[in-house]
């Protein structure tokens, strides 16, 4: 009887055109993303975020149909509409399995399925109980998974490999922030007044540039090559209209449109359709013809798409964020990158920083010409600091330098060279420079900048503690501070983003990102402690000085995965007394083995002092073969992810710790991190070097192990298990995959395998004696005539 009554309600209240708007919206998504327009195929091609939005659009459309209030629920005594509201809430959760909605989506998109089938599939969706949240291991609650491009090692960086990881790194992107333009452009001196003057000139005259229908020469269809030509023609006119209205002239810039010419300086081939670069060819334009631009020249990347429907985060994010990643990687003092997209005539401003990406509201350049003029002139006139460059790096007499306040006096550190710049957008983004004290050129130091979560123990505090306890074979402490910009601690939320509230983004959903309890203090203005306004910082450099109470409690206030708070990152600077080169650049096999033994000794010393490193990798093990360098022959660096062994609560580190290629199997599977995991990582470091390097650290290029950078945690754990489980298989594989230079180490790497993986399996208990066992194997290997042979 109930079914008959429902059938009558469905017949008396036909859907009709009630889903037409939803179907049209779905078609535009497919066109914008070049997806198949066949519903089943198109749904399979959509990313989760897009699919989630499609489902929510459909539920919204169904909620407006007359029958929804008349049809009864199958789960309670209320109307079907109440079930729909619960389903809407469940779909908004990241734990919801979207596959169960696909039959409803397909029937709703078909248009020929008939009303009865659509309502049946809706009943099926709402009557299925929402699955309980998936259980999460305690170690994962402590360190939620974060897979980023930061961990790529010896990677070819093909787009098909990098793009999926970059999507994860940037998820979610927040769009529709109404104050974003004001936040980043409002500080440009004279921009508002000049833009109004320029736009007035655009609309004046008998043949205005901007009329009732928008820009007079705007190309029909907005094809890329036509828009590039229009843009290139318009900008000189806007600059001419602006005349002398730029009150603070900057270095000349120009629009660059070379969509098919790859830029130099990236690992994989990358080109950029449009963007703003420095104009170094004003006086000699012919020199530009054969000039190849590098990513280090790009100031503002852009992306053009002809279809307005492409103005969606999931479609835009990969192309534009790829450019942003290249710019951040190539420019060693870049704190953030501004960019723009134009889809059809719809424009957005984007900002990429170490928390991710955010975007302004869209505006139509043919309807809001003043906003467009203001944006273009802003990109041309912004100071380097407003474009995202670090103002604490200064130039005098042709030398770059920073200033620090140490032991009550100001020291100037002159930059000699960039040693390391991590290739990523989101994350710590570690950068290291070799430097020296201006008054003592022989005093060589290493400056290290990184963006850390406020909850993490400060690396500087840990290094100072290790140095104070006499830890050996670990880089020694000199100074550390939180970088200050404009008199504020340089954090993302308060300083870089100037308090922009992502909860006001049009696509914000609670529970998708996480504010540390201490974040509210980060970025708070404080009194300058240096005479240089550009380089004022908070200093905490004196060895042995007690930690402030706020710092002592930092690791006792962990971020819980899934909590409804917002992440932040703080710009921290550490200065070290020791420098070297990565261990893979060792001059010989014997030198490499000796250096590895020394680094294991350093790890043991650090562990005995109560600190656990947790990120053993080829870039964190240093070798020193320079007789004039007073640093140890080999040593560990990078305590960014280190924790005190005896600690309460979570470490504050966001994500499973370590560099993927070298992570222990147990760490990949989510086990609480132990010194045993780090010792296993030493094995994987040696194994990896034997595969990827020849003599003198010469990288042989991509190998069959490239996919270790992109594999899922479980998948990578299984591959590593398969590699070490059987001795005969391991020896055969090693003989085949080790380079000619490192093939003499095959038997010795196998002996390490036996110790680290007893009986071909993972260790079951902690064994401190493993330190001495591994070091002995490395010492014995250095006596092997085949290892010592010069070949």
């Amino acid at each position: 009887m109930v079914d008959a009554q429902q059938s009558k309600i469905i017949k008396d209240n036909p859907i009709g055109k009630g889903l037409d708007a939803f179907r049209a919206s779905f078609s535009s998504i497919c066109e914008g993303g070049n997806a198949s327009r066949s519903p089943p195929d198109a749904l399979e091609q959509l990313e989760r975020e897009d699919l989630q939005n499609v489902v929510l659009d459909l539920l919204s459309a169904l909620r407006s149909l007359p029958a929804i209030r008349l049809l009864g629920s199958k789960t309670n005594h209320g109307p079907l509409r109440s079930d729909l509201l619960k389903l809407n809430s469940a779909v908004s959760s990241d734990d919801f399995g979207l596959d169960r909605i696909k039959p409803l989506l397909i029937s709703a998109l078909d248009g020929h399925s008939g009303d009865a089938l659509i309502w049946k599939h809706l009943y099926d969706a709402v009557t299925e109980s929402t699955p309980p949240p998936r259980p999460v291991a305690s170690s994962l609650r402590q360190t939620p998974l974060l897979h980023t491009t930061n961990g790529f090692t010896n990677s070819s960086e093909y787009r098909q490999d990098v793009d999926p990881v970059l999507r994860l790194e940037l998820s979610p992107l927040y769009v529709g922030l109404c104050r974003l333009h004001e936040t980043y452009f409002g500080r440009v001196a004279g921009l508002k007044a000049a833009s109004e003057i320029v736009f007035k000139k655009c609309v004046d005259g008998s043949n205005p540039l901007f009329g009732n229908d928008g820009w007079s020469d705007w190309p029909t269809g907005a094809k890329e090559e036509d828009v590039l030509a229009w843009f290139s023609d318009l900008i000189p006119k806007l600059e001419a209209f602006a005349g002398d209205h730029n009150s603070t002239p900057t270095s000349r810039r120009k629009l660059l449109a070379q969509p098919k010419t790859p830029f130099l300086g990236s690992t994989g081939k990358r080109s950029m359709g449009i963007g703003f670069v420095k104009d170094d060819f004003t006086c000699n334009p012919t020199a530009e013809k054969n000039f190849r631009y590098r990513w280090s020249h790009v100031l503002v990347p852009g992306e053009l798409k002809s279809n307005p429907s492409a103005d969606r985060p999931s479609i835009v994010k990969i192309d534009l964020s790829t450019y942003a990643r290249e710019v951040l990687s190539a420019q060693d003092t870049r704190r953030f990158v501004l960019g723009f997209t134009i889809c059809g005539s719809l424009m957005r401003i984007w900002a990429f920083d170490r928390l991710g990406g955010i975007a302004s509201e869209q505006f139509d350049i043919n309807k809001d010409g003043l906003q467009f003029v203001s944006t273009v002139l802003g990109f041309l006139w912004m100071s380097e600091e407003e474009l995202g460059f670090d103002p604490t790096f200064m130039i005098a007499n042709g030398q770059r330098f920073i200033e620090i306040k140490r032991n009550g006096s100001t020291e100037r550190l002159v930059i000699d060279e960039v040693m390391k710049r991590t290739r990523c957008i989101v994350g710590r983004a570690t950068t290291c420079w070799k430097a020296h004290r201006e008054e003592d050129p022989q005093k060589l130091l290493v400056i290290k900048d990184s963006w850390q979560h406020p909850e993490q123990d400060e690396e500087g505090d840990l290094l100072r503690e290790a140095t104070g306890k006499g830890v050996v074979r670990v880089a020694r402490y000199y100074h550390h501070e939180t970088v200050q910009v404009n008199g504020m601690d340089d954090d993302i939320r308060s300083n870089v983003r100037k308090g922009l509230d992502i909860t006001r983004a049009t696509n914000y959903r609670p529970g998708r990102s996480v504010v540390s309890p201490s974040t509210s203090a980060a970025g708070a203005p404080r009194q300058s402690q240096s005479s240089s306004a550009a380089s004022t910082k908070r200093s905490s450099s004196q060895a042995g000085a007690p930690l402030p109470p706020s710092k002592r409690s930092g690791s006792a206030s962990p971020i819980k995965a899934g909590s409804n708070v917002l992440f932040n990152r703080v710009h921290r600077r550490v200065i070290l007394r020791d420098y070297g080169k990565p261990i893979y650049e060792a001059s010989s096999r014997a030198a490499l083995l000796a250096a590895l033994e020394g680094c294991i000794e350093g790890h043991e010393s650090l562990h005995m002092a109560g600190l656990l490193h947790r990120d053993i990798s080829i870039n964190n093990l240093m070798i020193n073969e320079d007789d004039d360098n007073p640093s140890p022959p080999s040593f560990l660096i990078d305590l960014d992810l280190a924790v005190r062994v005896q600690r309460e609560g979570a470490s504050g580190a966001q994500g499973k710790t370590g560099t993927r290629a070298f992570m222990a199997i147990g760490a990949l599977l989510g086990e609480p991190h132990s010194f045993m995991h780090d010792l296993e990582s030493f094995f994987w470091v040696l194994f990896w070097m034997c595969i990827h390097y020849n003599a003198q650290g010469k990288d042989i290029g991509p190998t069959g192990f490239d996919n270790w950078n992109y594999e899922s945690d479980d998948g990578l754990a299984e591959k590593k298990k398969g590699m070490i489980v059987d001795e005969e298989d391991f020896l055969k594989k090693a003989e085949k995959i080790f380079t000619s230079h490192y093939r003499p180490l095959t038997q010795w790497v196998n002996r390490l395998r036996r110790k680290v993986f007893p009986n071909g399996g993972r260790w079951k208990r902690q064994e401190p004696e493993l330190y001495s066992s591994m070091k002995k194997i490395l010492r014995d290997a250095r006596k092997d005539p085949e290892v010592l042979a010069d070949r």
Side-chain angles (χ1 to χ4, degrees):
M1 182 66 183
V2 174
D3 288 341
Q5 183 179 356
Q6 288 180 341
S7 297
K8 185 177 188 307
I9 293 172
I10 291 171
K11 183 177 180 181
D12 292 345
N13 298 273
I15 294 175
K17 297 182 178 181
L19 298 180
D20 285 359
F22 161 71
R23 291 167 182 148
S25 173
F26 180 79
S27 296
S28 70
I29 293 173
C30 295
E31 292 168 3
N34 298 317
S36 166
R37 295 189 64 179
S38 167
D41 294 338
L43 292 174
E44 292 300 323
Q45 296 177 43
L46 291 179
E47 295 179 28
R48 178 180 173 87
E49 186 176 347
D50 267 339
L51 184 58
Q52 206 167 20
N53 289 331
V54 168
V55 173
L56 291 172
D57 288 346
L58 173 58
L59 298 185
S60 177
L62 290 170
R63 199 162 59 240
S64 302
L65 299 177
I68 199 70
R69 298 176 183 274
L70 302 174
L71 290 168
S73 168
K74 281 193 174 181
T75 62
N76 55 50
H77 297 294
L80 178 59
R81 186 175 186 274
S82 63
D83 290 339
L84 186 63
L85 293 175
K86 293 177 183 178
L87 180 61
N88 191 93
S89 178
V91 168
S92 298
S93 166
D94 288 337
D95 287 326
F96 186 83
L98 293 173
D99 284 346
R100 48 187 285 215
I101 296 288
K102 286 185 179 178
L104 172 62
L105 280 170
I106 293 170
S107 59
L109 290 167
D110 187 354
H112 303 288
S113 298
D115 292 6
L117 185 61
I118 294 174
W119 291 115
K120 176 187 179 300
H121 285 152
L122 177 58
Y123 270 115
D124 291 343
V126 299
T127 53
E128 233 182 284
S129 61
T130 303
R134 291 175 294 219
V136 182
S138 60
S139 59
L140 291 183
R141 286 197 295 270
Q142 173 180 298
T143 53
L145 174 63
L146 180 62
H147 188 184
T148 73
T149 57
N150 175 45
F152 291 170
T153 306
N154 300 91
S155 170
S156 56
E157 293 209 2
Y158 294 126
R159 288 292 298 268
Q160 68 266 24
D161 297 322
V162 174
D163 288 0
V165 181
L166 195 54
R167 284 191 184 97
L168 291 174
E169 182 175 322
L170 287 168
S171 293
L173 288 179
Y174 293 107
V175 302
L177 289 163
C178 59
R179 289 186 54 250
L180 187 140
H181 192 282
E182 173 191 342
T183 297
Y184 290 98
F185 289 76
R187 293 172 282 173
V188 182
L191 178 62
K192 185 176 186 297
S195 299
E196 291 172 351
I197 292 170
V198 170
F199 185 62
K200 187 175 186 302
K201 292 180 180 180
C202 290
V203 299
D204 285 346
S206 57
N207 189 24
L209 289 177
F210 190 91
N212 293 332
D213 296 325
W215 296 100
S216 57
D217 296 324
W218 176 253
T220 303
K223 293 182 179 179
E224 181 183 52
E225 59 183 28
D226 296 334
V227 173
L228 290 174
W230 171 82
F231 223 135
S232 299
D233 182 61
L234 177 66
I235 286 183
K237 297 176 182 177
L238 298 182
E239 290 186 291
F241 285 160
D244 299 326
H245 292 290
N246 184 4
S247 58
T248 55
T250 57
S251 59
R252 286 192 58 83
R253 298 167 191 166
K254 60 172 287 183
L255 185 80
L256 183 68
Q258 294 183 351
K260 297 181 180 179
T261 304
F263 281 65
L264 297 175
S266 54
T267 303
K269 288 186 177 181
R270 304 284 188 269
S271 58
M272 180 182 71
I274 190 171
F276 290 90
V277 298
K278 294 179 181 179
D279 186 2
D280 296 327
F281 301 98
T282 306
C283 300
N284 187 11
T286 57
E288 187 179 13
K289 291 183 179 180
N290 298 319
F291 183 78
R292 288 284 302 278
Y293 280 91
R294 307 182 72 88
W295 289 104
S296 56
H297 298 127
V298 178
L299 298 175
V300 180
E303 175 69 7
L304 300 178
K305 293 190 179 295
S306 60
N307 192 336
S309 300
D311 181 42
R312 301 177 64 89
S314 58
I315 294 173
V316 169
K317 84 161 83 167
I318 289 304
D319 288 332
L320 190 62
S321 62
T322 296
Y323 311 150
R325 178 173 178 260
E326 295 293 349
V327 173
L328 284 167
S329 302
Q331 299 174 16
D332 61 324
T333 64
R334 201 74 184 260
R335 297 158 59 232
F336 62 89
V337 170
L338 297 178
F340 66 94
T341 54
I342 302 180
C343 301
S345 60
L346 300 178
M347 187 172 193
R348 284 189 198 268
I349 313 302
W350 295 77
F352 294 92
D353 53 43
R354 301 312 183 177
L355 277 184
I358 55 177
S360 70
E361 295 176 304
Q362 67 172 212
F363 66 94
D364 192 324
I365 67 174
N366 282 319
K367 294 178 180 177
D368 195 342
L370 176 59
Q371 178 89 327
F372 177 70
V373 169
S374 174
T375 301
V376 171
L377 292 182
F379 286 144
L380 292 171
W381 291 1
M382 283 178 167
S383 68
E384 288 201 340
E385 180 181 341
E386 289 162 346
L387 282 172
F389 289 90
D390 187 342
T392 66
F393 282 78
M394 297 165 279
I395 298 179
N397 302 319
Q399 292 183 319
R400 283 201 304 168
F401 65 91
I402 66 168
E403 289 181 345
I404 62 173
K405 188 96 170 194
R406 182 174 179 269
N407 296 333
S409 61
T410 299
E411 295 182 14
R412 176 172 290 189
L413 306 184
V414 178
I415 308 298
D416 295 322
E417 61 179 276
V418 182
M419 301 175 68
K420 173 186 177 182
R421 176 74 163 176
T422 303
R423 290 177 55 78
C424 67
I425 296 177
V426 177
R428 290 174 290 149
T430 301
T431 307
C432 297
W433 298 267
K434 186 177 177 181
H436 65 269
R437 290 180 59 188
E438 185 179 49
E439 62 273 24
D440 184 6
Q442 301 304 312
K443 184 71 172 181
L444 295 179
L445 300 166
V446 173
I447 302 169
K448 174 187 173 181
D449 279 21
S450 60
W451 294 82
Q452 298 182 338
H453 289 285
E455 300 74 29
Q456 275 182 258
D457 292 326
E458 289 198 40
E459 182 186 17
D461 289 336
L462 299 179
L463 281 166
R464 181 172 58 188
E465 179 180 330
T467 301
K469 290 182 176 180
V471 170
V472 300
R473 300 282 190 153
V474 173
R476 292 168 295 171
Y477 174 86
Y478 185 77
H479 172 79
H480 80 286
E481 62 194 17
T482 295
V483 176
Q484 287 204 317
V485 174
N486 296 320
M488 299 176 67
D489 283 358
D490 192 22
D491 74 326
I492 298 295
R493 296 183 61 237
S494 298
N495 208 21
V496 171
R497 296 184 179 179
K498 301 297 180 186
L500 274 174
D501 185 0
I502 64 166
T503 66
R504 295 181 178 273
T506 55
N507 66 334
Y508 174 78
R509 292 201 301 276
R512 295 181 60 176
S513 58
V514 265
V515 177
S516 65
S518 58
T519 297
S520 58
R526 61 177 71 208
Q527 186 174 355
S528 170
Q529 297 184 11
S530 169
S531 58
S532 171
S535 62
T536 53
K537 313 168 190 75
R538 176 176 57 80
S539 174
S540 52
S541 62
Q542 294 183 345
L547 298 179
S550 62
K551 295 303 172 187
R552 287 185 179 273
S553 61
S555 62
S557 54
I559 292 177
K560 298 292 185 183
S563 58
N564 189 22
V565 286
L566 306 174
F567 280 130
N568 196 13
R569 286 189 182 271
V570 180
H571 188 180
R572 292 172 175 165
R573 180 166 292 161
V574 174
I575 300 172
L576 307 168
R577 298 180 186 178
D578 296 307
Y579 69 96
K581 58 186 180 182
I583 194 171
Y584 57 81
E585 294 184 19
S587 61
S588 66
R589 292 184 288 263
L592 169 70
L593 295 172
L596 193 61
E597 180 187 351
C599 289
I600 292 175
E601 180 184 351
H603 188 279
E604 184 176 20
S605 179
L606 191 69
H607 188 232
M608 290 177 66
L611 299 172
L612 184 60
H613 191 281
R614 303 200 310 165
D615 190 15
I616 300 302
S617 71
I618 58 174
N619 289 313
N620 290 340
L621 310 183
M622 296 288 110
I623 185 171
N624 169 27
E625 299 184 272
D626 182 356
D627 292 337
D628 296 327
N629 183 348
S631 300
S634 64
F635 55 94
L636 286 173
I637 63 169
D638 196 353
L639 299 191
D640 268 353
L641 298 180
V643 293
R644 294 178 175 85
V645 177
Q646 299 298 327
R647 71 187 193 277
E648 295 180 2
S651 67
Q654 304 303 310
K656 293 178 183 177
T657 54
T659 304
R660 292 184 61 74
F662 315 114
M663 286 175 67
I665 295 170
L668 287 165
L669 296 175
E671 294 176 356
H673 210 103
S674 158
F675 73 92
M676 294 289 287
H677 292 109
D678 281 0
L679 288 178
E680 182 182 329
S681 290
F682 278 108
F683 168 83
W684 291 117
V685 164
L686 180 58
F687 176 78
W688 188 268
M689 286 190 291
C690 290
I691 295 169
H692 290 88
Y693 295 98
N694 265 315
Q696 306 294 327
K698 184 177 180 182
D699 187 345
I700 68 169
T703 69
F705 290 79
D706 204 16
N707 61 7
W708 280 25
N709 290 294
Y710 321 113
E711 183 68 79
S712 68
D713 285 10
D714 288 346
L716 182 53
E718 290 303 315
K719 286 189 174 182
K720 288 189 171 184
K721 286 182 188 177
M723 187 61 62
I724 53 87
V725 66
D726 182 86
E727 179 164 325
E728 184 178 354
D729 289 346
F730 180 82
L731 288 170
K732 286 180 180 178
K733 291 173 185 174
E735 283 291 337
K736 180 179 180 181
I737 62 180
F738 280 16
T739 64
S740 58
H741 178 68
Y742 283 117
R743 201 162 290 136
L745 295 184
T746 300
Q747 292 292 341
W748 298 102
V749 176
N750 183 51
R751 291 191 189 186
L752 281 175
R753 181 196 65 82
R754 289 181 194 165
K755 284 294 181 183
V756 176
F757 305 100
N759 300 316
R762 294 199 294 127
W763 52 269
K764 302 301 181 184
R765 61 185 179 86
Q766 296 188 357
E767 298 180 10
E769 59 270 22
L770 184 58
Y771 279 110
S772 57
S773 298
M774 293 180 72
K775 289 189 290 183
K776 183 179 185 305
I777 291 172
L778 295 171
R779 278 196 303 274
D780 290 346
R782 298 206 306 277
K783 302 172 186 176
D784 183 344
E786 192 174 355
V787 171
L788 293 173
D790 183 18
R791 61 175 187 176

